[in-house]
Amino acid sequence: MDYEGAVLDVDGTVVRGDDPVPGAAEGYRRIREAGIDPLFVSNNPTKAPPAYADRLAAAGFGVDPDRIVTAGTVTVAYLRERHPEADLFVIGESGLHTQLDAADLSTTGDADAADALVASIDREFDYGDLRDALWALERDIPFIGTDPDVVIPAAERNVPGSGAVINAIAGVAERDPDVTLGKPSEPAVELVRERLGVDPKRCLVVGDRLDTDIAFGDRAGMTTVLVRTGVTDEARLAASAYEPDYVLDSLSAIGRVLEAGPKKR
């Protein structure tokens, strides 16, 4: 039995910053030669799929925007289904606000008038934002996180991600989010399964994170592949409860996974 679908993480798997990860282009080419049109799935909520397609193209990966799913994509879909009429108090960057606006979701800058709080990565996050989030959640409104990534791979070294902001808010509010989207959440699994349109048992998922990429693959029923080009080192791998089906030095070695066939049967 051969693979019919693949999910590829982006940051730390095929690119780091704006540069391709060594060996990633070779691995991507091998996947395409196997007749698989992979779906790129990222926990970055700041860019819509067309912007992500431009970023990947600049790194040498020609990808149609329809083959890209981000934490922003999942967040927009979740909010349109669960909170379509809500006034959202959003702690996040302009790219997330743009995606919410494009989906006709309402936002407000008044923490006391908000119907729900959406928290995400924000490189200008400050004390005032933390205070406003606390005041908003004092009214017991829904608390939604875009993705759980506490640390993300950047061009030269790792930097704080959405999870750092979400955890800070959760700490002062003494309350966990009602839902944290992106990988490995169930809303993300459902959306990706729908986009792939093939049996999950005949899909593989490749990523650099155990608690998001590998956990996502386990939840989705897909063969899981960890690459060592991102945030996971040997110590994290040894200490983790997640056990990937394969561990590769980089995406360039994906050929042996394709040749072995699906693990989930």
Side-chain angles (χ1 to χ4, degrees), residues 85-218:
E85 305 300 327
D87 285 330
L88 308 169
F89 187 81
V90 181
I91 293 179
E93 299 196 346
S94 60
L96 177 60
H97 283 267
T98 298
Q99 293 172 75
L100 297 175
D101 290 343
D104 293 325
L105 291 163
S106 176
T107 59
T108 178
D110 184 354
D112 291 326
D115 300 313
L117 170 70
V118 179
S120 183
I121 186 173
D122 186 347
R123 279 161 280 201
E124 296 183 357
F125 180 69
D126 61 16
Y127 183 86
D129 294 320
L130 192 59
R131 175 204 63 209
D132 290 345
L134 172 63
W135 289 349
L137 293 177
E138 283 179 343
R139 296 184 295 107
D140 200 30
I141 62 175
F143 177 15
I144 300 150
T146 58
D147 65 279
D149 291 14
V150 175
V151 174
I152 54 177
E156 296 181 358
R157 56 196 303 180
N158 297 337
V159 297
S162 296
V165 174
I166 295 165
N167 290 348
I169 294 170
V172 299
E174 298 183 330
R175 172 185 168 187
D176 290 334
D178 295 286
V179 64
T180 301
L181 301 166
K183 297 174 289 186
S185 71
E186 189 60 33
V189 169
E190 291 174 1
L191 193 155
V192 167
R193 279 176 171 166
E194 181 181 340
R195 290 283 186 94
L196 283 170
V198 298
D199 185 350
K201 292 180 181 179
R202 302 188 73 167
C203 295
L204 59 88
V205 55
V206 186
D208 68 305
R209 302 184 71 103
L210 293 157
D211 59 346
T212 56
D213 301 311
I214 303 308
F216 174 91
D218 285 345

Side-chain angles (χ1 to χ4, degrees), residues 6-9 20 32 42-43 51 58 69 71 121 146 169 173-174 225 238 251:
V7 172
L8 299 183
D9 177 50
R32 295 306 304 266
S42 169
N43 266 2
V69 172
I121 186 173
T146 58
I169 294 170
E174 298 183 330
V225 183
L251 188 62

Side-chain angles (χ1 to χ4, degrees), residues 238-254:
S240 176
Y242 298 105
E243 296 185 12
D245 295 312
Y246 296 92
V247 179
L248 307 178
D249 287 336
S250 76
L251 188 62
S252 64
I254 197 66

